[in-house]
Amino acid sequence: MDIHFVCHDCGKKHHPRSLLWRCPCGGLLDVDQFTISFPFDEIKKRPATMWRYREALPFVSDSTVWEALTLGEGYTPIVPLDSKSPNILLKVEYMMPTLSFKDRGVAVLVAKAKALGVTKVIADSSGNAGTSLSAYASRAGMKCDIYVPESTSPKKVLQISAHGATVHRIPGNREATAHAVIEAIESNQGFYASHVYNPFFYQGTKTYAFEIFEQLNGEMPDVLVFPVGNGSLLLGAYYGFQELLHGGMIVKIPRFIAVQAEGCAPIAQAFRTGKKTAEPVVNTGTAAEGIAIAAPARHRQILDAIYATGGFVITAPKEKMEPARRELASKGFYVEPTTAATYAGFLEYLAQAHNSTGNLPGFEPDAKVIIPLCGAGIKAN
Ligand SMILES: *Cc1c(COP(=O)(O)O)cnc(C)c1O
Ligand SMILES: [Zn+2]
């Protein structure tokens, strides 16, 4: 099985060994379809990591490249919010080797880069993608350069340097950091291991869907809440659910509710007016640094996925984030501000659906909802 990339715009196929980060036409790359399977009798006997679904991941069946790199990522617990809310389920994605869901995507991406002979990876990040990449790159024996906005949590910066990566702190906003890394890539300083552009990342995040299917014994949730900056969890999960659907394991994909931060919400702005593409916005500031993406490159794909599931986009109000963080902590979950924003967004959705005249896709009071807790509180200030 040889995996190819396919351009979202012109349809041209590229071999990953080209090390392209986007099509020469400017289009975004996706992984072209390949044959997958879910041998659940075997899967059930395997360790509780995302690699139990390896027949659905883009590796030849006898590939062992990932075995040297895995830190045991995936198969995170699903826990009720509290005993009064048995159908509001939290998938505790911060229980990951580097304390965020980014490990799903990075583990696959670094294994593929290693197999291609890459010796140095570069990425830009608001924090967690960088901490994850620096850990796995170091384990793989690769050099690593991480570009972060100057405002990134000092704890995340420390975590990145602890793994031996070089940190470039870029003045200005997240977009300035994105520009700086592209300059480095264009001058051939290394392989762009981007969680936004590299399609292998989404092959890792799709395991989020497989786990939900397996952990709930196929009793699918009605609603899935996602934080959305660049959409790397939402899109990966969407691809994963599509694969379960095509494999006949589920009959429909749950409704996706995307949460953006008030102050930086291009997807929400597009959704409000029914648009299929999002215009860049000006980031007017938010505590939710992990979803403050003013111009998400995969905006069209994110909106497609939301519309296709009958979903909705909500913005988490600024003043509700800190109370949401305290509320989660009171129930035993210590999360970073971006994750508090996800929960605040969910609460806001409930409030608006309750008050609306029926133009919000509502859900039954006993609907089963899954909210990911993507990042650990200990990483933030
Ligand atoms: C990366 C990240 C997000 C947002 O992911 P996107 O791919 O940008 O949508 C949300 N929460 C946490 C904790 C993250 O690390
Ligand atoms: Zn193209």
Side-chain angles (χ1 to χ4, degrees):
M1 170 178 68
D2 218 11
I3 306 287
H4 283 82
F5 293 162
V6 57
C7 172
H8 194 70
D9 285 358
C10 74
K12 190 168 184 314
K13 293 190 183 177
H14 301 280
H15 196 280
R17 89 170 81 78
S18 65
L19 304 187
L20 286 172
W21 64 275
R22 61 195 301 175
C23 184
C25 85
L28 295 164
L29 299 176
D30 295 321
V31 171
D32 200 15
Q33 277 201 344
F34 58 97
T35 310
I36 61 167
S37 65
F38 296 95
F40 273 107
D41 290 344
E42 287 304 310
I43 289 171
K44 297 262 179 229
K45 292 183 214 148
R46 294 177 181 158
T49 77
M50 62 179 238
W51 297 98
R52 58 206 269 117
Y53 311 109
R54 50 184 167 265
E55 289 85 358
L57 296 177
F59 295 89
V60 289
S61 55
D62 58 353
S63 166
T64 52
V65 57
W66 60 271
E67 283 177 16
L69 300 177
T70 180
L71 291 162
E73 51 287 331
Y75 220 77
T76 53
I78 296 178
V79 183
L81 175 67
D82 56 31
S83 56
K84 293 194 296 287
S85 329
N87 287 327
I88 312 269
L89 301 170
L90 306 177
K91 190 153 170 60
V92 191
E93 290 289 283
Y94 63 69
M95 288 178 66
M96 284 279 186
T98 77
L99 314 182
S100 86
F101 82 84
K102 299 295 195 306
D103 294 345
R104 292 185 189 278
V106 166
V108 170
L109 174 46
V110 170
K112 296 304 288 188
K114 183 75 183 171
L116 292 169
V118 167
T119 56
K120 180 174 174 188
V121 289
I122 305 187
D124 50 325
S125 165
S126 59
N128 289 332
T131 61
S132 183
L133 184 63
S134 59
Y136 286 84
S138 173
R139 191 163 172 83
M142 294 175 188
K143 291 206 186 86
C144 179
D145 274 24
I146 303 291
Y147 290 69
V148 297
E150 207 170 40
S151 59
T152 297
S153 149
K155 289 183 188 162
K156 291 181 185 172
V157 174
L158 259 181
Q159 196 184 355
I160 294 168
S161 356
H163 293 298
T166 305
V167 183
H168 302 263
R169 297 176 71 232
I170 307 299
N173 55 16
R174 180 69 179 81
E175 294 69 59
T177 302
H179 289 139
V181 80
I182 286 173
E183 264 174 42
I185 298 300
E186 305 280 276
S187 58
N188 289 319
Q189 294 178 33
F191 175 73
Y192 192 15
S194 168
H195 64 293
V196 184
Y197 293 102
N198 193 300
F200 284 133
F201 190 92
Y202 302 81
Q203 294 292 308
T205 49
K206 75 187 188 182
T207 58
Y208 183 80
F210 305 156
E211 289 175 19
I212 288 174
F213 173 75
E214 196 189 351
Q215 289 172 298
L216 300 184
N217 296 313
E219 293 187 17
M220 295 296 286
D222 304 286
V223 176
L224 294 166
V225 178
F226 292 98
V228 171
N230 279 305
S232 69
L233 183 61
L234 177 142
L235 285 174
Y238 183 61
Y239 303 146
F241 282 114
Q242 276 184 318
E243 291 177 355
L244 293 172
L245 192 66
H246 294 152
M249 279 160 285
I250 61 173
V251 294
K252 86 184 235 280
I253 300 180
R255 192 193 295 285
F256 280 19
I257 309 274
V259 178
Q260 294 226 280
E262 188 181 88
C264 193
I267 300 291
Q269 186 177 304
F271 183 84
R272 267 195 295 275
T273 46
K275 294 218 179 77
K276 292 189 160 180
T277 59
E279 297 300 321
V281 298
V282 175
N283 179 356
T284 58
T286 171
E289 63 182 12
I291 47 172
I293 307 294
R298 295 192 184 266
H299 57 107
R300 266 192 293 164
Q301 291 169 306
I302 296 169
L303 284 160
D304 278 352
I306 294 165
Y307 290 124
T309 66
F312 198 78
V313 187
I314 192 91
T315 49
K318 274 192 181 117
E319 72 284 359
K320 302 274 176 68
M321 293 185 193
E322 196 48 44
R325 194 176 185 204
R326 280 198 301 274
E327 188 184 319
L328 284 175
S330 77
K331 297 175 193 298
F333 305 99
Y334 189 46
V335 301
E336 66 170 271
T338 302
T339 296
T342 311
Y343 183 56
F346 167 70
L347 295 178
E348 180 66 16
Y349 184 84
L350 285 188
Q352 285 192 21
H354 190 70
N355 294 330
S356 84
T357 46
N359 47 8
L360 272 192
F363 41 88
E364 304 299 315
D366 60 350
K368 197 187 292 181
V369 180
I370 299 196
I371 306 169
L373 300 184
C374 289
I378 206 95
K379 285 186 155 211
N381 303 326

Short mmCIF file of all heavy atoms in Angstrom, two decimals, residues 82 104 135 153 240 319 377:
data_model
loop_
_atom_site.label_atom_id
_atom_site.label_comp_id
_atom_site.label_asym_id
_atom_site.label_seq_id
_atom_site.Cartn_x
_atom_site.Cartn_y
_atom_site.Cartn_z
N ASP A 82 -20.64 14.80 35.86
CA ASP A 82 -20.86 14.55 37.29
C ASP A 82 -22.00 13.55 37.41
O ASP A 82 -22.60 13.17 36.39
CB ASP A 82 -21.14 15.85 38.05
CG ASP A 82 -22.32 16.63 37.49
OD1 ASP A 82 -23.25 15.98 36.95
OD2 ASP A 82 -22.31 17.87 37.57
N ARG A 104 -2.01 12.68 19.37
CA ARG A 104 -2.60 11.77 18.38
C ARG A 104 -2.03 12.03 16.99
O ARG A 104 -1.60 11.12 16.29
CB ARG A 104 -4.12 11.96 18.28
CG ARG A 104 -4.90 11.54 19.48
CD ARG A 104 -6.41 11.68 19.19
NE ARG A 104 -7.16 11.48 20.39
CZ ARG A 104 -7.49 10.28 20.90
NH1 ARG A 104 -7.15 9.18 20.26
NH2 ARG A 104 -8.15 10.18 22.02
N ALA A 135 8.56 16.69 21.79
CA ALA A 135 8.74 15.42 22.50
C ALA A 135 8.96 14.26 21.53
O ALA A 135 9.91 13.48 21.68
CB ALA A 135 7.52 15.14 23.38
N SER A 153 2.24 30.71 26.81
CA SER A 153 2.46 30.38 28.21
C SER A 153 3.91 29.95 28.46
O SER A 153 4.43 29.06 27.79
CB SER A 153 1.50 29.24 28.60
OG SER A 153 2.07 28.43 29.59
N GLY A 240 -12.69 10.21 10.70
CA GLY A 240 -12.83 8.94 11.41
C GLY A 240 -14.27 8.45 11.39
O GLY A 240 -14.54 7.28 11.12
N GLU A 319 -16.40 36.46 29.33
CA GLU A 319 -16.57 36.49 30.79
C GLU A 319 -17.03 35.15 31.34
O GLU A 319 -17.08 34.96 32.55
CB GLU A 319 -17.53 37.62 31.19
CG GLU A 319 -19.00 37.40 30.84
CD GLU A 319 -19.35 37.61 29.35
OE1 GLU A 319 -18.44 37.94 28.56
OE2 GLU A 319 -20.52 37.41 28.99
N GLY A 377 -4.63 21.87 32.73
CA GLY A 377 -4.51 23.16 33.41
C GLY A 377 -3.10 23.49 33.86
O GLY A 377 -2.70 24.65 33.91
#
